[in-house]
């Protein structure tokens, strides 16, 4: 009798167990699309593009020497900008790559994969931004596919160049601005905006101009509504830029070499 009761109780509990719900087809499409982008971005081939460009070599070599000894190729200890081939490389990307090299060891495959991961991070951030703005998964996927399969982001993140980090920083800036603009800017959001502006300026030579233009746009579009937040963000940004003044005095022309070359 007791055995029958036990079996009956077990059968009843089994029937009460909720059925596993299958993912919605829309969710499966989104997951498939994001996986496609990830596969495309993370498929790094040493033959595409072929060789290892001299700027890639200098950036990777300086990242390796910084990881191993804390010095660049000229022996400068943790330099603010990395001198190489008569140019001055921006520091953020190089130091991040140096951190990766301390774990993996230096190699051109790791260096290019690092850029690809940064590119993928930018695409996923844009997907998150689009979803926050629209709450539509398929529309957000279209934004991610449009950016992820476009040559302008893809080609840049195939190479070991500082600019490979720029799309991710810009996407993060837009994401923080969107989240913060739904209400009064909290101090931490304003600080995050200022830090991202500073990182954009220190990531690539053209980023210095771009970051200043972004700061001016913040003052124009948010100055009246978010005066305190904009003041904090711009203050943090200018504080980060203040280090350029003594650096430029000690290394005349170091900050304008790239501009003079391409101009």
């Amino acid at each position: 009798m007791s055995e029958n009761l036990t079996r009956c109780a077990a059968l009843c509990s089994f029937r009460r167990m909720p059925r596993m719900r299958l993912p919605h087809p829309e969710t499966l499409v989104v997951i498939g699309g994001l996986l496609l982008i990830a596969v495309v971005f993370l498929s790094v081939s040493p033959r595409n593009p072929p060789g290892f460009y001299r700027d890639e070599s200098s950036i990777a070599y300086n990242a390796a020497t910084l990881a191993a000894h804390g010095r660049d190729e000229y022996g400068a200890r943790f330099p603010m900008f990395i001198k190489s081939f008569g140019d001055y490389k921006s520091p953020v990307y190089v130091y991040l790559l140096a951190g990766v090299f301390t774990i993996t060891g230096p190699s051109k495959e790791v260096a290019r994969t690092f850029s690809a991961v940064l590119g993928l991070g930018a695409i996923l951030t844009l997907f998150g931004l689009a979803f926050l703005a629209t709450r539509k998964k398929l529309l957000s996927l279209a934004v991610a596919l449009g950016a992820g399969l476009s040559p302008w982001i893809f080609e840049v993140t195939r190479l070991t160049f500082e600019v490979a980090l720029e799309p991710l920083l810009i996407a993060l800036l837009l994401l923080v601005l969107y989240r913060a603009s739904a209400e009064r800017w909290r101090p931490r959001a304003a600080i995050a905006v200022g830090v991202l502006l500073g990182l954009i300026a220190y990531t690539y030579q053209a980023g210095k101009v771009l970051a200043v233009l972004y700061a001016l746009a913040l003052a124009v579009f948010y100055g009246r509504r978010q005066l305190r937040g904009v003041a904090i963000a711009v203050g943090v940004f200018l504080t980060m830029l203040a280090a350029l003044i003594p650096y430029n005095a000690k290394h005349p022309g170091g900050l304008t070499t790239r501009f003079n070359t391409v101009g």
Side-chain angles (χ1 to χ4, degrees):
M1 183 69 178
S2 60
E3 292 181 0
N4 292 334
L5 290 174
T6 303
R7 290 177 181 174
C8 182
L11 182 61
C12 291
S13 63
F14 177 77
R15 289 177 176 175
R16 292 194 195 99
M17 289 179 63
R19 294 181 179 178
M20 292 182 62
R21 293 183 177 179
L22 295 175
H24 193 276
E26 185 179 273
T27 302
L28 293 176
V29 171
V30 170
I31 293 174
L34 294 178
L35 285 176
L36 172 64
I37 296 173
V39 170
V40 170
F41 262 77
L42 299 181
S43 298
V44 178
S45 170
R47 298 184 300 275
N48 184 24
F52 204 55
Y53 188 64
R54 70 174 190 173
D55 277 345
E56 292 184 280
S57 301
S58 68
I59 289 172
Y61 177 67
N62 279 284
T65 59
L66 287 167
H69 311 294
R71 298 181 183 274
D72 68 2
E73 63 180 285
Y74 290 99
R77 186 164 182 80
F78 296 115
M80 186 173 179
F81 288 86
I82 295 89
K83 184 179 180 181
S84 183
F85 289 114
D87 192 8
Y88 289 80
K89 312 298 183 187
S90 298
V92 181
Y93 178 93
V94 181
Y95 279 102
L96 288 176
L97 182 58
V100 173
F101 280 170
T102 59
I103 301 172
T104 64
S107 74
K108 64 180 183 180
E109 289 78 14
V110 170
R112 282 187 169 177
T113 301
F114 175 64
S115 290
V117 170
L118 293 176
L120 178 60
I123 301 307
L124 296 179
T125 303
L126 288 174
F127 172 82
L129 174 61
F131 184 73
L132 284 175
T134 65
R135 296 296 175 180
K136 297 182 182 297
K137 296 178 182 178
L138 292 180
L139 183 58
S140 304
L141 177 62
V143 171
L145 287 171
L149 301 180
S150 67
W152 296 276
I153 294 180
F154 181 82
E155 291 296 335
V156 166
T157 57
R158 297 296 94 191
L159 301 166
T160 308
F161 285 168
E162 315 111 285
V163 72
L165 177 59
E166 204 80 72
L168 175 58
L169 293 176
I170 294 173
L172 287 173
L173 175 64
L174 295 175
L175 181 64
V176 172
L177 280 174
Y178 182 82
R179 290 180 61 88
S181 299
E183 54 189 16
R184 297 294 296 177
W185 283 15
R186 297 181 181 179
R188 63 182 182 184
I191 292 172
V193 170
V195 169
L196 286 168
L197 287 174
L199 291 176
I200 290 172
Y202 281 101
T203 295
Y204 193 57
Q205 294 288 351
K208 297 181 182 64
V209 177
L210 187 62
V212 170
L213 292 176
Y214 280 154
L216 291 174
L218 288 178
V220 171
F221 291 103
Y222 292 99
R224 293 184 179 179
R225 294 176 293 157
Q226 307 283 1
L227 180 60
R228 180 168 175 265
V230 170
I232 293 174
V234 173
V236 171
F237 174 51
L238 293 178
T239 301
M240 293 179 68
L241 291 186
L244 297 176
I245 298 174
Y247 182 87
N248 189 60
K250 189 174 181 179
H251 302 85
L255 299 179
T256 57
T257 301
R258 181 76 63 86
F259 291 114
N260 294 335
T261 302
V262 300

